[in-house]
Amino acid sequence: MLVLGIETSCDETSVAILEDGRRILVNLVYSQADLHARYGGVVPEAASRDHLRKLPALALEALAQAGVSWGDLGLVGVTYGPGLIGPLLVGVSYAAGVALARGIPLVGVNHLAAHLFALRLRDPPVEPPFLGLIVSGGHTLLVAVSQWGEYRVVGGTRDDAAGEALDKFGRLLGLPYPAGPHIDALAQEGDPQRIPFPRPMLESGLDMSFAGLKTAAVYWLREHPGAPLPDLCASFLEAVVEVLVEKALRAAKRFQLRRIVVAGGVAANRRLREAFPARAAERGVEVFFPPPELCTDNAATVAACAHHRYTVLGRSDPLSLAPDANLPLHGWR
Ligand code: KG4
Ligand code: ZN
C-alpha cells in the first residue's frame, strides 16, 4: 500500500510517499525558515499563506519523483495537530481534497506521535515498549509508550520547549532563526564547562523548566560582554542536554523501561546524540535516535503513523476532520 503523507503544522511544508508503512519512496521537505528569519520566529499568517502556495506543487513533485500517479495511492495521512491552526488547516483541507477526489481513506495524525514514528523508519526499526523523549521547538515531553498507539505522557516542560530555549538564546546572541543548528555547530568548538549555567529543576520529579535558564543567560551576558560564542553555545547546550538526559533516565527508571528513544528537531543535536548513550549505558539503558533528517518535521513520519493507525488500529477520519491546535498526545490513538 502506498501512503501519501502531508505535514504543515509549523514552518515546514512536507510531502512523502511511503510503501508498506516503512519504505520511503520520497520525503520532500520545504523549509520556510528564510521567510521567518527576519522576524526571529514563525509568523503564523505568513506560514499559512506559504503552505498554500507550496503544498500543491510539492505534492506533484513527490508523485513525479516516486514515479507513481494519484491512482496508485491507497491512503492519505495528514497532521491535524498540535501546531499552528492556519498552517494545519491548509494541510488538512488539501488532504481531505485528495481523499475525496481519489476515494481513499483520510487518516489524521498527531504531530507528536509522528515524531516517534521516525524510530520505526530507522534501520533497524525501534519498536515499543520504550520511553520517548520528544524535544522540538514547540514541545518537550516524556512519554511512556507500551505499544504504538498507547501514549502516556509522564513529564515535560512547564514553560519553554528545549528547542524554543535554544532559539531564544541564539536570538540573544544574534544568531539566525532557527538557532538550534547554529548553536550545535558553534558548540563543537567551545568549552561546555566554561560557564556554569543553572540546571533548573534537575533534582525534582519529571517536569522541566527552560525559561529560567534563558533568564540566567540574559543576566550572564549582561555581566560578561564579549564572552566567546563557542563557549557560550557549548555551555548553554550542556545545561539543556544535562537536564534532558537526567529527566529521561529518571523516567525510564520509574516506569521500568530499558530503552529510550529521542525524537523531534532537537534530537538532531550532535552533543545530545554523543552524550546521551554513554550516560545511559552507565545505568543499563539503551538510547536510540532517528537519522537527523527524520528528526525535524517531515511527512514520512506522518505517513508511517497514518499507516499504523489505519492498518493496525482500523482508524480513519471523516472528510470533515478539523485541525486541533492543542491536540494532546496523552491517550491519543
Ligand atoms: O520538530 P521540529 O522540526 O519542529 C517543531 O515541531 O517544533 O523542531 C524544530 C526545533 C527548533 O527549535 C530548532 O532550533 C531545533 O529543533 N533544532 C536543533 C537542531 N536542529 C533543529 N536544535 C539543536 N541542534 C540541532 N542540530
Ligand atoms: Zn515537530
Side-chain angles (χ1 to χ4, degrees), residues 111 115 136 297:
H111 179 70
H115 271 308
S136 71
D297 292 348

Side-chain angles (χ1 to χ4, degrees), residues 191-303:
D191 175 3
Q193 310 303 333
R194 168 80 198 284
I195 304 157
F197 286 125
R199 273 62 169 158
M201 299 179 69
L202 189 64
E203 303 303 330
S204 60
L206 298 179
D207 279 348
M208 302 170 231
S209 163
F210 293 105
L213 179 56
K214 186 198 66 200
T215 311
V218 170
Y219 286 116
W220 201 91
L221 285 168
R222 226 175 259 169
E223 284 161 27
H224 304 82
L229 264 190
D231 289 349
L232 281 165
C233 291
S235 299
F236 190 88
L237 185 58
E238 196 64 10
V240 172
V241 165
E242 195 176 322
V243 171
L244 293 174
V245 167
E246 192 52 42
K247 297 287 176 174
L249 285 170
R250 183 177 299 174
K253 186 174 178 197
R254 185 171 305 173
F255 295 95
Q256 297 176 339
L257 294 161
R258 316 290 299 176
R259 292 186 304 169
I260 294 175
V261 311
V262 191
V266 182
N269 185 264
R270 277 173 283 177
R271 180 66 192 143
L272 182 64
R273 295 173 84 96
E274 173 193 291
F276 206 161
R279 288 190 209 164
E282 292 163 11
R283 303 200 215 166
V285 173
E286 265 189 296
V287 181
F288 301 90
F289 290 86
E293 69 277 11
L294 293 179
C295 290
T296 42
D297 292 348
N298 71 88
T301 58
V302 175

Side-chain angles (χ1 to χ4, degrees), residues 26 62 88 114 145 157 160 195 200 227 264 314:
V26 62
L88 287 168
V145 183
T157 185
D160 291 356
I195 304 157

Side-chain angles (χ1 to χ4, degrees), residues 36-250:
H36 303 293
R38 77 188 99 142
Y39 306 107
V42 179
V43 181
E45 177 63 21
S48 310
R49 288 170 188 241
D50 206 51
H51 285 304
L52 199 55
R53 202 156 34 227
K54 296 282 162 38
L55 181 56
L58 205 63
L60 292 178
E61 179 63 27
L63 290 169
Q65 283 195 22
V68 304
S69 63
W70 290 112
D72 299 325
L73 302 174
L75 187 74
V76 52
V78 62
T79 307
Y80 74 105
L84 300 169
I85 196 70
L88 287 168
L89 199 51
V90 174
V92 170
S93 306
Y94 186 84
V98 171
L100 177 66
R102 302 308 320 171
I104 56 177
L106 172 70
V107 179
V109 166
N110 183 309
H111 179 70
L112 301 171
H115 271 308
L116 291 174
F117 268 85
L119 277 303
R120 195 170 221 201
L121 295 175
R122 193 182 167 276
D123 205 14
V126 184
E127 307 282 350
F130 53 64
L131 186 281
L133 168 64
I134 303 175
V135 264
S136 71
H139 298 89
T140 295
L141 46 98
L142 294 164
V143 45
V145 183
S146 53
Q147 52 182 302
W148 291 117
E150 297 288 337
Y151 311 109
R152 179 172 168 208
V153 176
V154 298
T157 185
R158 292 192 182 170
D159 41 56
D160 291 356
E164 186 180 0
L166 290 170
D167 293 341
K168 286 179 175 171
F169 178 67
R171 198 175 173 182
L172 288 175
L173 301 180
L175 299 175
Y177 170 85
H182 299 281
I183 293 174
D184 185 342
L186 283 161
Q188 296 279 310
E189 311 298 326
D191 175 3
Q193 310 303 333
R194 168 80 198 284
I195 304 157
F197 286 125
R199 273 62 169 158
M201 299 179 69
L202 189 64
E203 303 303 330
S204 60
L206 298 179
D207 279 348
M208 302 170 231
S209 163
F210 293 105
L213 179 56
K214 186 198 66 200
T215 311
V218 170
Y219 286 116
W220 201 91
L221 285 168
R222 226 175 259 169
E223 284 161 27
H224 304 82
L229 264 190
D231 289 349
L232 281 165
C233 291
S235 299
F236 190 88
L237 185 58
E238 196 64 10
V240 172
V241 165
E242 195 176 322
V243 171
L244 293 174
V245 167
E246 192 52 42
K247 297 287 176 174
L249 285 170
R250 183 177 299 174

